[in-house]
Amino acid sequence: MEHVSLPALSRVAICGGTHGNELSGVWIVREMQKQQVEKVGSISITTVMSNPRAVEACKRYMETDLNRCFTDAILSAPVTDVTPYEVRRAHELNAQLGPKGSQEAMDLVCDLHNTTANMGLCVIFTTFNWISLHIYKYLKKRITSAPVRLIHVDVPLSDAHSLDSLGKNNLSFEVGPQPNGVVRADIYNLMKEALDHLVDWVQEFNSGITFEGGEVEAYVFEKSIDYPRDPDTNELTAIIHPQLQDKDFILLKPGDPIFLSFSGETVKYEGKELYPFFVNECAYYEKHIAFHLAQKTILTIPSVSVEND
Amino acid sequence: MEHVSLPALSRVAICGGTHGNELSGVWIVREMQKQQVEKVGSISITTVMSNPRAVEACKRYMETDLNRCFTDAILSAPVTDVTPYEVRRAHELNAQLGPKGSQEAMDLVCDLHNTTANMGLCVIFTTFNWISLHIYKYLKKRITSAPVRLIHVDVPLSDAHSLDSLGKNNLSFEVGPQPNGVVRADIYNLMKEALDHLVDWVQEFNSGITFEGGEVEAYVFEKSIDYPRDPDTNELTAIIHPQLQDKDFILLKPGDPIFLSFSGETVKYEGKELYPFFVNECAYYEKHIAFHLAQKTILTIPSVSVEND
């Protein structure tokens, strides 16, 4: 795995508002559209407001979570009168940016997200590709104002349900903490800085620069933990413990406090040492996720450069 | 103003969920109802989930902001087929906790709120009453884990639009920062601690203890500042400057940065020295408020004790 040549990344899509109340991406895309950013050097840029109705309503989604709609199964199912708005929109986006898995698909799709968790800047990639790993490596070196981390959710392309999986190469930026419905300048600026570096990297790559390989640290999704709930009503009986709040990517050990019940009792972690992330993410209450847990691993990546054709 | 005797506070209402996505109050009221808290010593306690539909939907409100519905004008207008849900609910709450301004009203109404702004614990009172000022003084002395401040919005009772104005004495707790739709244990615990102290104070007051007067610091609302907006579309052109973000109650001086435009320009503050609060409150985007400004003042308050009758 010493060197890999890869096709040029001529067509890049930048998407915001896939969740309508995650406002950094919404405003970055609005500003790029206002400034009519369509080409940067060698790259043709497509900017997309993914879920315009949800953006208008400042809600995560109208009928169903758009960022769960990009599996092969959903994209190949027929659209009928009762198809939810977001599934229709997923079909439209697949036509615009994909079709997923095809030669016509965008060379790179980057989707912009915010979280209420204390995640700093996370590069999330679902389908394995050297491009995302190299972009992460580049960001990690250049961004010093916040922690930069890599999350890998290892699923086959056909099951990948996120918008970015439409691209031949794909990644999401997940930046926080930022409340839903709010823009914080620090979080907005961090996302914008990451995006500027991404565009720089693609330009340098297309120009023929060789990017050295090496080792990168990655968090590999392992499982999700739900809140303690009342077995009858399904309502929460506890919340994230103050000692776990804001401690994303800090190693969780058996015996560490994870929940505090409304009656004041502490629930302790049982299980092997893992790294929590998306701790107390607003949108995950309904998904029955209090936090995710990851293994930390080291990935060895080859040097890359553009194919000469 | 040396000493004032006041009637006992026999009937106290604790309200949460006036805004359905401000979850500390929602969960405190749920827990009190679960534990069937109806009497604490000399006090009869009424717990109220103010806007149950909005709580169910985890939204601020369904049709109109409930906490703007308690003016005399709205409460005396007839209810018709087209009356918004929250106005109907305001009439119900007025019947349950008021009628506002009457002898039948609750002796004290405390309404529980969260903000996305870095406000710590704020006691907000609209209609002037010594009880709220003494409770503030008591909290200020006992709570050390977060800043405790007093905000006075000086309006006549008839124009007071907040739920707590239904009580003979009234106050709101405004606690943050906490994202909408999220419970943070630190914020929840701070609100609960404040509420426990409030109940203690009322019990001590009813038992005949004299509370010494003195001077208390108060922030008096002066005006609101909107975001810079595009004159044609009305959309934001700038966000809260990183140097103002989280700086609630830090003196704002002429020339200090207040906004950062999406194109990177800094907007500076012009005007007299005042104290910003509710900086970047999520719900205020639609109300065209980027932050409020207050004067700081010192109020001299008398000692108080319960009337012997």
Side-chain angles (χ1 to χ4, degrees), chain B residues 6 13 19 36 61 69 71 102 110 112 127 171 173 207 229 243 280 286 296:
Chain B
L6 296 166
H19 295 135
Q36 298 180 302
Y61 57 80
C69 290
T71 60
S102 76
C110 175
L112 305 174
T127 61
L171 49 79
F173 290 156
S207 76
R229 289 175 189 267
Q243 287 184 46
N280 210 358
E286 68 172 22
K296 189 153 78 174

Side-chain angles (χ1 to χ4, degrees), chain B residues 9 26 30 37 67 69 85 90 94 97 128 132 148 157 164 185 197 201 209 232 252 266 278 291 302:
Chain B
L9 303 166
V26 168
R30 271 192 186 141
V37 178
N67 213 35
C69 290
Y85 167 67
N94 188 42
L97 307 178
F128 207 92
S132 301
V148 183
L157 181 63
D164 60 288
H197 286 310
W201 186 90
I209 287 176
D232 296 326
L252 190 64
T266 293
F278 276 119
F291 53 91

Side-chain angles (χ1 to χ4, degrees), chain A residues 23 27-28 30-31 34-35 59 116 178-186 188-189 192 230 235-237 239-242 245-246 260-263 280-283 285, chain B residues 23 27-28 30-31 34-35 59 116 178-186 188-189 192 230 235-237 239-242 245-246 260-263 280-283 285:
Chain A
L23 295 191
W27 280 103
I28 282 178
R30 272 192 186 140
E31 189 62 20
K34 203 167 157 186
Q35 294 181 13
K59 290 168 65 172
T116 59
Q178 180 172 274
N180 290 167
V182 163
V183 201
R184 286 181 61 100
D186 51 356
Y188 177 90
N189 286 343
K192 194 163 180 305
D230 183 299
E235 276 188 350
L236 305 196
T237 56
I239 52 182
I240 296 292
H241 194 279
Q245 178 69 47
D246 303 327
L260 180 67
S261 81
F262 290 116
S263 47
N280 210 358
E281 158 55 34
C282 180
Y285 283 65
Chain B
L23 296 191
W27 280 103
I28 283 178
R30 271 192 186 141
E31 189 61 22
K34 203 167 157 187
Q35 295 182 11
K59 291 168 65 171
T116 59
Q178 180 172 274
N180 289 167
V182 164
V183 202
R184 285 182 60 100
D186 51 356
Y188 177 90
N189 286 343
K192 194 162 180 307
D230 182 299
E235 276 188 350
L236 305 195
T237 55
I239 52 181
I240 296 291
H241 195 279
Q245 178 69 48
D246 303 328
L260 180 67
S261 81
F262 290 116
S263 47
N280 210 358
E281 158 56 32
C282 180
Y285 283 64

Side-chain angles (χ1 to χ4, degrees), chain A residues 35-52:
Chain A
Q35 294 181 13
Q36 299 179 303
V37 178
E38 288 166 1
K39 201 161 176 66
V40 179
S42 58
I43 322 163
S44 145
I45 304 258
T46 301
T47 50
V48 179
M49 193 66 81
S50 313
N51 193 335

Side-chain angles (χ1 to χ4, degrees), chain B:
Chain B
M1 202 161 53
E2 285 186 345
H3 186 82
V4 174
S5 296
L6 296 166
L9 303 166
S10 320
R11 296 162 64 234
V12 173
I14 312 291
C15 308
T18 300
H19 295 135
N21 54 8
E22 299 178 3
L23 296 191
S24 299
V26 168
W27 280 103
I28 283 178
V29 165
R30 271 192 186 141
E31 189 61 22
M32 290 177 81
Q33 291 182 339
K34 203 167 157 187
Q35 295 182 11
Q36 298 180 302
V37 178
E38 288 167 3
K39 202 160 177 62
V40 180
S42 58
I43 323 164
S44 146
I45 305 260
T46 301
T47 50
V48 178
M49 194 65 83
S50 313
N51 193 335
R53 286 198 200 164
V55 168
E56 180 65 26
C58 201
K59 291 168 65 171
R60 184 174 175 90
Y61 57 80
M62 304 308 291
E63 294 182 77
T64 191
D65 191 334
L66 177 61
N67 213 35
R68 303 294 179 272
C69 290
F70 295 91
T71 60
D72 281 2
I74 294 175
L75 292 178
S76 62
V79 170
T80 70
D81 285 354
V82 295
T83 302
Y85 167 67
E86 275 83 5
V87 174
R88 290 170 187 271
R89 185 71 186 128
H91 281 249
E92 289 172 12
L93 291 165
N94 188 42
Q96 184 186 1
L97 307 178
K100 177 171 169 172
S102 76
Q103 269 312 304
E104 290 72 48
M106 287 279 160
D107 296 317
L108 176 63
V109 174
C110 175
D111 198 23
L112 305 174
H113 289 264
N114 290 124
T115 171
T116 59
N118 184 28
M119 301 259 282
L121 168 65
C122 291
V123 175
I124 305 184
F125 75 120
T126 41
T127 61
F128 207 92
N129 64 105
W130 298 131
I131 299 296
S132 301
L133 290 163
H134 267 280
I135 290 171
Y136 161 70
K137 188 165 178 273
Y138 190 84
L139 296 178
K140 180 94 177 164
K141 196 167 168 184
R142 276 162 184 76
I143 294 178
T144 53
S145 60
V148 183
R149 299 180 182 103
L150 180 69
I151 298 171
H152 186 205
V153 184
D154 190 12
V155 289
L157 181 63
S158 57
D159 295 343
H161 52 53
S162 56
L163 183 151
D164 60 288
S165 70
L166 294 180
K168 287 197 198 89
N169 300 283
N170 66 90
L171 49 79
S172 294
F173 290 156
E174 187 71 64
V175 194
Q178 180 172 274
N180 289 167
V182 164
V183 202
R184 285 182 60 100
D186 51 356
I187 300 298
Y188 177 90
N189 286 343
L190 177 57
M191 185 181 276
K192 194 162 180 307
E193 186 185 358
L195 201 54
D196 289 344
H197 286 310
L198 175 143
V199 171
D200 288 347
W201 186 90
V202 175
Q203 288 219 79
E204 291 177 23
F205 173 79
N206 286 352
S207 76
I209 287 176
T210 295
F211 290 92
E212 293 306 316
E215 295 190 331
V216 297
E217 197 179 82
Y219 293 88
V220 181
F221 171 81
E222 180 145 328
K223 63 177 176 180
S224 306
I225 305 289
D226 189 16
Y227 294 92
R229 289 175 189 267
D230 182 299
D232 296 326
T233 64
N234 218 11
E235 276 188 350
L236 305 195
T237 55
I239 52 181
I240 296 291
H241 195 279
Q243 287 184 46
L244 178 59
Q245 178 69 48
D246 303 328
K247 298 298 189 307
D248 302 70
F249 300 105
I250 307 291
L251 186 65
L252 190 64
K253 297 174 186 158
D256 287 346
I258 51 174
F259 296 114
L260 180 67
S261 81
F262 290 116
S263 47
E265 286 128 42
T266 293
V267 178
K268 293 181 175 176
Y269 177 61
E270 295 170 7
K272 66 177 179 178
E273 295 188 355
L274 288 168
Y275 293 84
F277 65 107
F278 276 119
V279 176
N280 210 358
E281 158 56 32
C282 180
Y284 285 0
Y285 283 64
E286 68 172 22
K287 296 186 200 294
H288 285 221
I289 299 166
F291 53 91
H292 288 322
L293 288 169
Q295 298 257 21
K296 189 153 78 174
T297 189
I298 301 292
L299 301 175
T300 305
I301 64 173
S303 66
V304 294
S305 62
V306 72
E307 276 175 13
N308 294 315
D309 55 5

Side-chain angles (χ1 to χ4, degrees), chain A residues 12-304:
Chain A
V12 173
I14 312 290
C15 308
T18 300
H19 294 135
N21 54 7
E22 299 179 4
L23 295 191
S24 299
V26 168
W27 280 103
I28 282 178
V29 165
R30 272 192 186 140
E31 189 62 20
M32 290 177 82
Q33 291 183 339
K34 203 167 157 186
Q35 294 181 13
Q36 299 179 303
V37 178
E38 288 166 1
K39 201 161 176 66
V40 179
S42 58
I43 322 163
S44 145
I45 304 258
T46 301
T47 50
V48 179
M49 193 66 81
S50 313
N51 193 335
R53 286 198 200 165
V55 169
E56 179 65 27
C58 200
K59 290 168 65 172
R60 185 174 174 90
Y61 57 80
M62 304 308 289
E63 295 182 76
T64 190
D65 190 334
L66 177 60
N67 213 34
R68 303 293 179 274
C69 290
F70 295 91
T71 60
D72 281 2
I74 294 175
L75 292 177
S76 62
V79 170
T80 70
D81 285 354
V82 294
T83 301
Y85 167 67
E86 274 83 5
V87 173
R88 290 170 189 272
R89 186 68 187 131
H91 282 248
E92 288 172 13
L93 290 165
N94 188 42
Q96 184 186 0
L97 306 178
K100 176 170 168 172
S102 77
Q103 270 312 305
E104 291 71 48
M106 287 279 160
D107 296 316
L108 176 63
V109 174
C110 175
D111 197 23
L112 305 175
H113 289 264
N114 290 123
T115 171
T116 59
N118 184 28
M119 301 258 282
L121 168 65
C122 291
V123 175
I124 305 184
F125 75 119
T126 41
T127 60
F128 208 91
N129 63 106
W130 298 131
I131 298 296
S132 301
L133 290 163
H134 267 280
I135 290 172
Y136 161 71
K137 187 165 178 272
Y138 190 82
L139 296 178
K140 179 94 178 165
K141 196 168 169 184
R142 274 158 186 79
I143 293 178
T144 53
S145 60
V148 182
R149 299 180 182 104
L150 181 69
I151 299 171
H152 186 205
V153 185
D154 189 13
V155 289
L157 181 63
S158 57
D159 295 343
H161 52 54
S162 56
L163 183 150
D164 60 288
S165 70
L166 294 179
K168 287 198 198 90
N169 300 283
N170 66 90
L171 49 80
S172 294
F173 290 156
E174 187 70 63
V175 194
Q178 180 172 274
N180 290 167
V182 163
V183 201
R184 286 181 61 100
D186 51 356
I187 299 298
Y188 177 90
N189 286 343
L190 177 57
M191 186 182 276
K192 194 163 180 305
E193 187 186 356
L195 202 53
D196 289 344
H197 286 310
L198 174 143
V199 171
D200 287 348
W201 187 89
V202 175
Q203 288 218 81
E204 292 177 23
F205 173 78
N206 286 351
S207 77
I209 286 177
T210 295
F211 290 92
E212 293 306 316
E215 296 190 330
V216 298
E217 197 179 82
Y219 293 89
V220 181
F221 171 81
E222 180 145 327
K223 62 177 174 177
S224 306
I225 305 289
D226 188 18
Y227 294 93
R229 290 176 189 267
D230 183 299
D232 297 326
T233 64
N234 219 10
E235 276 188 350
L236 305 196
T237 56
I239 52 182
I240 296 292
H241 194 279
Q243 288 184 46
L244 177 60
Q245 178 69 47
D246 303 327
K247 299 298 189 307
D248 302 70
F249 301 106
I250 307 292
L251 186 64
L252 190 64
K253 296 174 188 160
D256 287 346
I258 51 175
F259 296 115
L260 180 67
S261 81
F262 290 116
S263 47
E265 287 127 43
T266 292
V267 178
K268 292 181 176 177
Y269 177 63
E270 296 170 8
K272 65 176 177 177
E273 295 189 355
L274 288 168
Y275 293 84
F277 66 107
F278 277 121
V279 176
N280 210 358
E281 158 55 34
C282 180
Y284 285 0
Y285 283 65
E286 68 173 22
K287 295 185 199 297
H288 286 220
I289 298 166
F291 53 91
H292 287 322
L293 287 169
Q295 298 257 21
K296 188 153 78 173
T297 189
I298 302 291
L299 301 175
T300 305
I301 63 174
S303 66
V304 294

